[in-house]
Amino acid sequence: MKLSYEIADYLTSQGKRCIIRKEALEGQMAHSQLVTEEVEGILVLGGDGTLLRAARELADRKIPFLGINLGHLGYLAEIERQNVQNALEKLIQDEYTVEERMMLLGSVYVDGSIAEKDVALNDIVINRFGNLRVVNYEIYVNGMYLNSFTADGLIVSTPTGSTGYSLSAGGPIVSPTASMLVLTPICPHTLNSRSIVFSGEDKICLRIGEGRRSGPDEACVTFDGDTCVPMKTGDYVEIQKSTEVTRILKINQVSFLEVLRNKLNRS
């Protein structure tokens, strides 16, 4: 990508070292072991989805990210293409802050045994799979039964993810630096369903309930829209706040409310 090399050339001219990973240029995000210890920050070129993949794959490295938006709506990738050089100048002069965003940890249990454990910056979503019919989901919070939803699926989002899929499903917008979990049903088969906001210290368990027809219901759980894990009646996913956080470099000292207003006016 031309912009990648332009950024590398500029940083090199300023006495800095910039490494372009071939995997990134080919659309394959570099794995944690490919990022060397001397790396102080990662520039992510693309949309919010690109930054989400980077945050998940490098969650254990505690390296801050600066998102350069090449997509449409960029809540995470705050730097627009035309402002790249100005942002790099501020980065070199240490004119930035680091904002920590909470992540989710999800543990998927299939047939009573753990099948997958992964983190997510935006959300963990459990959705119907296979036949196009609603699924019965049972919700437990800290080991106590809360409610059941008959719906297409359920979204558990972080504050960062509240402006993503959760918002499209009718969920609330939450300040990104807050610590909480937002549960939002997807197309629920009821007239009185609402999103529920939980403390960041709560643990949520979503279980696939009994199907309304013969045979088990099927669903799929995804982490930030990736890593789909098939599930069926009796399987469940436990979701809680992760000990890992995503560190976002903030160049522009613009409030969340101003960013939100601008994005909503453009959408």
Side-chain angles (χ1 to χ4, degrees), residues 126-135 137 151-153 218-220:
I126 185 169
N127 212 335
R128 67 184 184 184
F129 185 78
N131 294 328
L132 296 181
R133 64 190 183 206
V134 292
V135 175
Y137 301 96
D152 281 1
E218 296 179 316
C220 180

Side-chain angles (χ1 to χ4, degrees), residues 84-123:
V84 169
Q85 183 167 329
N86 181 59
L88 294 177
E89 291 174 357
K90 291 185 177 181
L91 186 63
I92 292 171
Q93 296 167 8
D94 292 335
E95 296 179 9
Y96 61 83
T97 58
V98 179
E99 192 172 272
E100 292 192 346
R101 304 287 185 90
M102 71 166 281
M103 302 184 77
L104 299 174
L105 172 65
S107 302
V108 184
Y109 290 83
V110 175
D111 294 328
S113 300
I114 191 163
E116 182 72 35
K117 180 177 285 189
D118 206 345
V119 294
L121 174 56
N122 254 13
D123 50 44

Side-chain angles (χ1 to χ4, degrees), residues 152-225:
D152 281 1
L154 297 170
I155 304 168
V156 177
S157 78
T158 63
T160 296
S162 69
T163 54
Y165 193 8
S166 178
L167 178 63
S168 299
I173 296 175
V174 180
S175 176
T177 56
S179 177
M180 58 185 64
L181 293 82
V182 180
L183 174 67
T184 302
I186 305 170
C187 298
H189 199 258
T190 177
L191 297 177
N192 61 354
S193 68
R194 294 291 186 272
S195 296
I196 306 174
V197 179
F198 297 97
S199 163
E201 306 308 313
D202 288 332
K203 179 186 287 188
I204 300 174
C205 176
L206 308 178
R207 182 180 180 275
I208 309 298
E210 294 293 335
R212 295 193 298 175
R213 303 179 183 179
S214 59
D217 274 343
E218 296 179 316
C220 180
V221 61
T222 58
F223 298 78
D224 284 339

Side-chain angles (χ1 to χ4, degrees), residues 7 27 32 53 64 75 79 94 115 119 152-153 160 201 213-214 226 238 261:
I7 290 173
S32 180
R53 290 197 302 274
Y75 285 95
I79 306 301
D94 292 335
V119 294
D152 281 1
T160 296
E201 306 308 313
R213 303 179 183 179
S214 59
D226 197 6
E238 292 181 343
R261 182 178 68 248

Side-chain angles (χ1 to χ4, degrees), residues 59-76:
D60 61 332
R61 296 298 302 277
K62 300 176 174 55
I63 302 174
F65 298 90
L66 177 62
I68 298 174
N69 183 33
L70 304 182
H72 299 287
L73 291 176
Y75 285 95
L76 291 172

